[in-house]
Amino acid sequence: MSRHRVERKRLFRRRPADDLLQRSFRNCPRCTRDVHVFFDVCRHCGGALEISA
């Protein structure tokens, strides 16, 4: 077996990085820490959050 790396030609273009993880969080208005978008109470400070569409 050869230990040399063989370059392969790409069949498909690489997709751009998705920011799904970044879109899943928002900042708490009281403590400015990251909170999941579906939470209605901040787990860090206990402050109430508004859920908006």
Side-chain angles (χ1 to χ4, degrees):
M1 278 195 188
S2 176
R3 292 183 181 233
H4 298 286
R5 189 174 205 160
V6 177
E7 288 197 34
R8 297 183 191 175
K9 191 172 187 178
R10 288 195 182 271
L11 297 176
F12 302 101
R13 291 184 310 199
R14 188 174 287 200
R15 292 189 312 168
D18 188 14
D19 63 342
L20 180 63
L21 184 62
Q22 294 174 354
R23 289 183 284 145
S24 298
F25 291 93
R26 61 185 172 144
N27 290 335
C28 172
R30 286 182 58 190
C31 66
T32 66
R33 299 202 51 196
D34 288 337
V35 182
H36 196 270
V37 293
F38 293 126
F39 288 174
D40 57 350
V41 176
C42 177
R43 69 180 200 167
H44 303 287
C45 70
L49 304 170
E50 289 184 28
I51 297 179
S52 60

